[in-house]
Amino acid sequence: MIKNNGITTFTSESVCAGHPDKICDAISDAILDEVLKQDPKGRTGVECLAADGRLIIAGEIGSRAVVDFKKVAREQIKRLSYTEPGFGFSDKSPIDNYLHQQSQEIAVGVKKKGAGDQGMMFGFACRETKVLMPMPIMIAHALTRRIDTVREDGTLPYLRPDGKSQVTVEYNNGTPVGIVQVVVAAPHRENVPLSRVRVDIFKCVVKPVIESFGFKISIRDLIVNGTGVWHNGGPSSDCGLTGRKIVVDTYGGYARVGGGCFSGKEPSKVDRGGAYAARFLAKNIVAHKLADKAEVRLAYFIGAKKPTMQDVETFGTNKKSHRVILSFMEKILDTSVSGILKELDLQRPIYLPTASYGHFGREEFPWEKVV
């Protein structure tokens, strides 16, 4: 939104690892990792739904791997601190498993090293942060990660799993210059007043995170639990679903996203593998100073070995010609499905950590490397 004289604002949000949708993402990706440990060529499309007192697992598996799906799910629910029956959802809740063998009509394309589905994918990079990601989403992720940390390490032991962050960044002619507002939602024990929660969240979470990005903030610019009360979080209060946080997972609304989610899908499903390839290309374009901002666009059809679209938009920030940038993209990555899997080394169990705090801007992942 334009305020005046080149001053604009942009808002992004993130969610904690114990958010209901992220519980589902974690279980889906944990199952994927268990399959890949036994069968690197295993095919998965795992979906979860977490509701009051129940978890449902559904989708498709095409693999020789033997996995105790319910055990994997309970381990993740426990890891995410849902162990108290009073939460209404816990590691003891009933689990219904409706996973089935992958359709042969889908499998035939993958067996021929083609895309596991149709779709379009977008990758983005810019110079706003050291990891070449937009500032708002990186601050939002840092806030949710910090909320989880202070709960888990006992700094704020009265917090309960679940939570959200939202940050509004002020820009001057496209450059981040300040923080307008931070919003935090965090469930907590009933015997702790919101006034204390707000002060503690500011001191232990918001202030250190905002200052780590080089900005200042006053507690006046912090909102905690907008309705004034939040004690009971998790799936008993709000149903969770795999793949529902795709904007949180990608660029926080700052750039376009593709047509499908990531979690639970092995990387031959180009919703995932193609999105990682697009981010790899965009980040390297910016890192190599070919442009200050880049959006890479890919598209595939089911069974396609190569993309039907491969292009880039640099928003007028390019330092080299469009032709030169396209040639650079072709040199650094083969965007055929088999090329992406091989060159980014994606057929291994690396996906559970992606289920929280975003898939991009985290240098531990192979699609974030600069060549």
Side-chain angles (χ1 to χ4, degrees):
M1 151 183 139
I2 295 180
K3 295 173 73 177
N4 56 69
N5 298 324
I7 302 297
T8 63
T9 58
F10 195 89
T11 301
S12 291
E13 71 162 342
S14 180
V15 296
C16 292
H19 183 280
D21 294 332
K22 286 296 158 191
I23 296 171
C24 294
D25 286 346
I27 294 169
S28 296
D29 278 334
I31 290 172
L32 166 59
D33 280 354
E34 288 300 318
V35 170
L36 293 178
K37 285 177 185 177
Q38 301 178 43
D39 180 7
K41 295 184 179 180
R43 301 181 301 277
T44 66
V46 180
E47 310 280 348
C48 294
L49 184 150
D52 186 12
R54 183 171 299 275
L55 177 76
I56 297 172
I57 307 173
E60 56 179 10
I61 298 281
S63 175
R64 57 180 172 77
V66 177
V67 178
D68 186 336
F69 303 112
K70 292 185 179 181
K71 180 181 177 183
V72 172
R74 293 192 194 282
E75 287 173 349
Q76 291 307 308
I77 296 168
K78 183 177 181 180
R79 179 182 67 84
L80 295 169
S81 301
Y82 285 92
T83 57
E84 297 183 20
F87 287 161
F89 177 88
S90 75
D91 57 332
K92 303 298 190 298
S93 294
I95 297 176
D96 299 324
N97 177 16
Y98 297 104
L99 286 166
H100 59 80
Q101 281 294 313
Q102 185 180 56
S103 161
Q104 289 304 305
E105 293 177 344
I106 295 175
V108 66
V110 180
K111 289 177 180 178
K112 295 179 180 180
K113 298 183 178 180
D117 204 349
Q118 72 174 44
M120 71 288 188
M121 303 90 221
F122 297 92
F124 183 78
C126 64
R127 293 203 171 277
E128 292 184 13
T129 60
K130 291 180 180 179
V131 293
L132 305 183
M133 283 284 287
M135 182 71 74
I137 188 62
M138 296 312 295
I139 296 176
H141 285 323
L143 288 166
T144 51
R145 187 188 289 271
R146 183 65 184 161
I147 292 167
D148 285 339
T149 297
V150 298
R151 175 179 57 81
E152 292 168 358
D153 70 11
T155 301
L156 301 181
Y158 58 77
L159 293 181
R160 288 171 170 168
D162 203 347
K164 293 184 176 184
S165 73
Q166 183 172 289
V167 60
T168 300
V169 177
E170 184 172 84
Y171 290 77
N172 188 345
N173 293 316
T175 299
V177 295
I179 305 300
V180 176
Q181 185 183 76
V182 170
V183 178
V184 168
H188 57 91
R189 293 178 189 166
E190 290 84 349
N191 63 346
V192 181
L194 180 59
S195 57
R196 177 185 168 189
V197 176
R198 183 168 180 263
V199 171
D200 286 351
I201 289 286
F202 178 77
K203 180 177 69 174
C204 299
V205 176
V206 175
K207 189 173 184 288
V209 166
I210 296 302
E211 290 181 352
S212 74
F213 282 85
F215 300 117
K216 299 291 184 181
I217 187 171
S218 165
I219 195 170
R220 295 189 303 272
D221 299 319
L222 171 64
I223 295 173
V224 176
N225 295 351
T227 65
V229 59
W230 191 23
H231 297 141
N232 300 310
S236 65
S237 299
D238 188 8
C239 181
L241 190 66
T242 298
R244 192 155 53 185
K245 287 292 179 285
I246 186 170
V247 173
V248 170
D249 287 343
T250 53
Y251 306 102
Y254 198 97
R256 283 181 280 198
V257 297
C261 74
F262 306 153
S263 290
K265 299 176 181 178
E266 44 76 25
S268 77
K269 289 185 177 295
V270 284
D271 284 335
R272 185 166 217 160
Y276 292 165
R279 163 63 180 170
F280 173 82
L281 291 169
K283 183 175 183 180
N284 273 274
I285 289 168
V286 175
H288 284 268
K289 300 182 179 179
L290 302 180
D292 291 333
K293 185 183 294 186
E295 178 189 78
V296 171
R297 306 191 290 260
L298 300 174
Y300 299 80
F301 61 85
I302 189 168
K305 295 182 179 179
K306 292 182 176 292
T308 59
M309 173 182 71
Q310 179 166 314
D311 211 334
V312 60
E313 168 64 56
T314 55
F315 309 95
T317 70
N318 56 299
K319 314 301 181 184
K320 299 291 183 179
S321 70
H322 188 251
R323 179 182 58 80
V324 168
I325 296 175
L326 287 177
S327 177
F328 173 79
M329 290 166 57
E330 292 173 357
K331 288 177 182 177
I332 65 169
L333 184 66
D334 171 9
T335 52
S336 67
V337 175
S338 60
I340 292 170
L341 297 180
K342 180 181 179 181
E343 294 180 28
L344 295 183
D345 194 14
L346 297 182
Q347 290 181 301
R348 53 196 176 104
I350 59 174
Y351 297 104
L352 176 57
T354 69
S356 303
Y357 321 123
H359 293 241
F360 305 127
R362 299 168 59 186
E363 295 181 351
E364 68 265 35
F365 299 134
W367 50 89
E368 293 293 319
K369 67 182 178 182
V370 175
V371 295

